[in-house]
Amino acid sequence: MATRKTTDSTTPDARATAGQPANARAFWARVIAARGWLGALGGLLVVALLSPLYDALLGTSAGFQLHRLSLIGIFIMAALAQNILTGYAAQPSLGNAAFFGVGAYLLAWLTNDLGQAYVIGLLGAMVACAALGALVGGPALRISGAYLAIATLGLVFITGALLDLWDTSAGRQSYDLNALPTFLTEDHGLYFTIFAICALVLFAAHNLLRSRVGRAWIAIRDNEAAAAAFGVNLTRYKLLAFVVSATLTGLTGALYATWATTASASMSSADQTIAFLAMIVVGGLGSIPGSALGAIFVGFLPLLLDQLPSPIMAGPLQLQVKTLTTGIYGILLLLALIFFPRGLSSLGTHARALFARRTAQTTQEGAP
Amino acid sequence: MLAVLQVTLAGLVTGSLYGLLALGIVLIYRTTGVLNFAYGAIAAVSACLMYILLTGPRVNFWLALGMTLVFAVVLGVVLERAFARPVLNAPVFTKAIATLALALVLQTVAEGLWPQLAEIQHFPTPFEGHALRVSGIYISLISVVVLGVTALLMLGLTLFLTRTRLGVAMRATADNQSAARLMGMPVGRIFMLVWALSAAVAALAGVLLASQQGLIDVQFMDPILILAFVGAVLGGLESLPGALLGGILVGLTDNLLALFLAGHHIGALNISDPGIRETLIFGGFVLVLLFRPQGLLGQAVLRRV
């Protein structure tokens, strides 16, 4: 907010004194003001154009590559769900992987065993996760901080163990989805479906976070006591954050199962929860673009590291890329956290602050 | 009855190991505010080094143990400087994720240096094959060692924290960092000391666990760490005796549940499955937290507005 004000206040003077370049500055100021919409539009354009571009460039492997890209759309929604709970409502919950698994298994159960339509399966998964989120959110209101983090991590272990038990007692390795609509088993159809849902979810989240609910969450995060004093119902809004996040994660889990055409108990594991957290911490807590950036970072990195030749020779050491990938991933994650402790989305703030300083400087030079 | 006693003893031993790890976790969390998920990796890397010393150059067990502890202290100092210091002022959550990344890096380095440890190896100790028999109960020598070391370490840490200047300075830093700094305490050096101390505890716990299981690989700490965290939180995250108590409770529950659930079925459900046991432990843990949100020995936090 503050940075935008400075650019706005400097531009009229600049226009009066400096003529042509000032118009350019005003233009850029307007661009910055509209950056959210431009970013969204650009994102949609990239997503829409990537499919024909891949078809043209990659030929037969285009489908495979698009399929891998679709995963990032799923991760963006999962990161957003975690960010709503942790970055906005300030609940350090590690429990989202539980809903991720439950959503996937419910979709599998509803479409496979009960023969329901796919949409019913998705809705069922979301409703069940909403209920589960309310069930978990209730007790979670009594627990805070690191205690909540470990307790909710416990929930993930419980869910993972129970889902695994369901699999073993049904005599299967994982729950294969074999009643999917045909357009979702085709890579292009899946890609567009996932990113369409992702765009809708991002749009809805954008509006929700600027509504009464979003403001209440931010108030709770910034100062719980002050929020309560201003009449924000802490219990209701914290619970709502758990329910919204669980619902969205349930949807994400169902979509992930669709993407993988199978639901497995490893979806509710500590590793999965860690991945969600890494996304929002890398991207930026309390930021929608941050959720997307973090999901892209966490989703893309393994794809890029896969391109390395194997094994890599480093002097006497012969390193398997598979083990190395984890290490490089860890190092990059560490570097990102050390240099951008507020997340990659703070890059934009830095850049804007720099731009505002430069405009202010040039105006001062031109004025006397 | 004898079986129950035997299993209780086994529970005490595994519980002590969880407790030792929980101690180190609490030590770092209290003083530096880092929820250290790399703790298991620190323990694993140290124990792996000891395995290499024992099997490669065939160093004497006690000498190898000494070298491992020295290595752990150095590792702790290096990690504090190179890792914890740069993220010191980041949000707590960011720091926790950073430790996860650190764990990945440590494991990769260990796996790269010692590829044979990617698979499970036998961990040789002089305690192997020795057991005591006390009125019908068998106690392996390593169990006695684990219990003894845990008790000694707890005693030593308590004395250190309450009776020495440095220990008091550490507690003061934990209570109020800026006040401690204003009183002229070298907060930076105290942080370094805490990391070094807890890394040494981690190494000790890692070596004890490897000796007790007789087996080791790079990731052998992973399943243990989360239970150690449960123990630490159960005890209250702020209190060292609480951490030990929490760890022992988790170990006891795990072993006793294994005994009582063995071979039982509810309908088609095999409840002796480890998954069910895990579910019960975590379920109980959440229940305890609901009644005591600050853990068993933790103090309720007064929030100032």
Side-chain angles (χ1 to χ4, degrees):
Chain A
M1 276 295 130
T3 51
R4 193 190 297 179
K5 203 182 270 171
T6 48
T7 40
D8 283 350
S9 62
T10 50
T11 38
D13 304 332
R15 199 177 303 152
T17 50
Q20 195 55 39
N23 279 336
R25 272 200 291 277
F27 170 73
W28 284 114
R30 239 173 284 142
V31 168
I32 288 177
R35 67 190 179 276
W37 291 110
L38 289 175
L41 215 63
L44 279 178
L45 212 62
V46 168
V47 167
L49 287 181
L50 262 179
S51 166
L53 192 70
Y54 268 37
D55 283 336
L57 290 180
L58 298 171
T60 46
S61 72
F64 173 67
Q65 297 297 342
L66 275 182
H67 187 252
R68 293 186 5 159
L69 273 185
S70 310
L71 186 57
I72 289 172
I74 296 176
F75 280 167
I76 289 177
M77 286 183 271
L80 185 67
Q82 180 81 56
N83 220 338
I84 285 176
L85 188 56
T86 307
Y88 284 96
Q91 301 302 303
S93 163
L94 305 187
N96 270 12
F99 309 118
F100 197 60
V102 168
Y105 272 76
L106 268 179
L107 176 72
W109 184 60
L110 284 170
T111 54
N112 270 15
D113 292 17
L114 301 188
Q116 298 295 326
Y118 182 76
V119 179
I120 303 287
L122 275 192
L123 287 178
M126 286 166 72
V127 170
C129 284
L132 198 61
L135 203 70
V136 173
L141 297 180
R142 279 180 58 80
I143 309 171
S144 60
Y147 297 88
L148 180 66
I150 306 293
T152 44
L153 189 59
L155 177 76
V156 172
F157 276 90
I158 295 176
T159 315
L162 290 179
L163 291 180
D164 191 42
L165 206 64
W166 189 8
D167 277 345
T168 40
S169 50
R172 57 173 183 240
Q173 290 285 320
S174 62
Y175 209 154
D176 288 334
L177 279 81
N178 37 34
L180 289 174
T182 39
F183 75 99
L184 285 177
T185 53
E186 197 274 321
D187 295 321
H188 290 77
L190 183 71
Y191 172 84
F192 281 115
T193 310
I194 284 177
F195 276 100
I197 296 179
C198 182
L200 276 179
V201 164
L202 283 174
F203 180 70
H206 174 85
N207 285 325
L208 178 69
L209 291 169
R210 271 154 196 75
S211 71
R212 184 185 184 84
V213 176
R215 285 195 302 273
W217 285 338
I218 293 170
I220 292 176
R221 175 191 68 192
D222 290 347
N223 192 333
E224 212 174 291
F230 276 103
V232 174
N233 185 336
L234 295 184
T235 314
R236 184 198 293 167
Y237 282 107
K238 282 187 187 175
L239 198 58
L240 191 62
F242 270 99
V243 171
V244 168
S245 182
T247 313
L248 184 51
T249 312
L251 170 69
T252 315
L255 288 177
Y256 181 86
T258 312
W259 177 85
T261 66
T262 184
S264 77
S266 65
M267 288 175 67
S268 288
S269 65
D271 289 345
Q272 194 59 58
T273 260
I274 288 164
F276 293 159
L277 288 175
M279 287 175 205
I280 64 163
V281 168
V282 167
L285 290 170
S287 152
I288 295 180
S291 312
L293 283 176
I296 292 171
F297 181 91
V298 172
F300 249 127
L301 213 55
L303 298 190
L304 290 182
L305 293 178
D306 268 356
Q307 310 292 322
L308 292 174
S310 173
I312 292 175
M313 311 295 285
L317 294 177
Q318 186 184 350
L319 299 166
Q320 292 299 319
V321 163
K322 200 177 148 290
T323 50
L324 205 63
T325 309
T326 344
I328 295 179
Y329 176 62
I331 288 176
L332 286 176
L333 195 56
L334 268 182
L335 289 179
L337 294 179
I338 287 174
F339 291 106
F340 302 102
R342 308 276 155 202
L344 292 177
S345 66
S346 66
L347 259 175
T349 321
H350 288 310
R352 253 174 287 136
L354 198 72
F355 178 77
R357 250 204 320 276
R358 292 234 347 237
T359 14
Q361 265 170 11
T362 43
T363 331
Q364 271 170 3
E365 281 162 17
Chain B
M1 196 57 226
L2 217 56
V4 174
L5 270 178
Q6 186 80 55
V7 169
T8 309
L9 189 76
L12 271 180
V13 174
T14 38
S16 301
L17 288 170
Y18 296 154
L20 272 184
L21 286 166
L23 271 183
I25 291 167
V26 167
L27 209 58
I28 290 196
Y29 180 73
R30 242 180 77 104
T31 2
T32 65
V34 177
L35 209 51
N36 190 358
F37 286 104
Y39 205 64
I42 296 174
V45 167
S46 307
C48 285
L49 174 77
M50 175 139 171
Y51 169 82
I52 296 298
L53 288 175
L54 288 174
T55 53
R58 300 199 174 279
V59 182
N60 170 286
F61 183 84
W62 300 106
L63 186 63
L65 182 63
M67 287 162 78
T68 305
L69 287 180
V70 171
F71 164 79
V73 167
V74 174
L75 180 68
V77 171
V78 169
L79 286 184
E80 201 279 328
R81 285 285 134 160
F83 163 76
R85 195 63 63 90
V87 293
L88 186 63
N89 294 318
V92 178
F93 229 59
T94 307
K95 284 195 274 196
I97 297 298
T99 62
L100 285 167
L102 177 68
L104 292 182
V105 175
L106 284 177
Q107 269 180 3
T108 311
V109 170
E111 223 166 291
L113 284 177
W114 311 307
Q116 70 267 40
L117 277 167
E119 266 131 60
I120 296 176
Q121 303 286 344
H122 171 71
F123 190 84
T125 63
F127 314 117
E128 246 175 318
H130 296 282
L132 314 173
R133 192 178 168 174
V134 184
S135 58
I137 301 177
Y138 282 100
I139 312 174
S140 63
L141 188 57
I142 181 66
S143 303
V144 179
V145 173
V146 168
L147 292 176
V149 168
T150 309
L152 276 180
L153 201 75
M154 187 67 221
L155 190 72
L157 263 180
T158 311
L159 285 179
F160 170 70
L161 286 174
T162 51
R163 298 297 162 87
T164 64
R165 275 185 78 81
L166 202 57
V168 174
M170 262 166 76
R171 278 165 52 221
T173 313
D175 278 350
N176 190 336
Q177 205 190 108
S178 37
R181 204 186 287 275
L182 287 173
M183 299 302 282
M185 286 169 203
V187 171
R189 244 181 295 159
I190 286 176
F191 278 10
M192 214 159 81
L193 185 77
V194 170
W195 272 85
L197 195 63
S198 68
V201 174
L204 207 56
V207 170
L208 283 175
L209 186 75
S211 313
Q212 197 235 359
Q213 298 181 333
L215 301 170
I216 187 168
D217 68 353
V218 172
Q219 300 181 337
F220 83 116
M221 270 296 170
D222 288 0
I224 310 293
L225 183 70
I226 182 66
L227 289 172
F229 259 102
V230 168
V233 172
L234 201 56
L237 262 183
E238 297 281 319
S239 128
L240 292 181
L244 193 60
L245 179 75
I248 289 177
L249 267 180
V250 172
L252 271 180
T253 318
D254 196 11
N255 278 275
L256 287 174
L257 274 179
L259 175 71
F260 292 134
L261 295 182
H264 288 281
H265 290 264
I266 299 178
L269 198 65
N270 175 15
I271 55 169
S272 57
D273 187 274
I276 292 281
R277 214 160 71 216
E278 213 167 70
T279 308
L280 286 174
I281 291 178
F282 278 111
F285 163 66
V286 172
L287 268 184
V288 172
L289 274 193
L290 282 183
F291 289 105
R292 284 196 62 86
Q294 71 281 22
L296 290 176
L297 296 191
Q299 277 153 8
V301 190
L302 269 182
R303 251 178 299 180
R304 259 176 237 280
V305 178

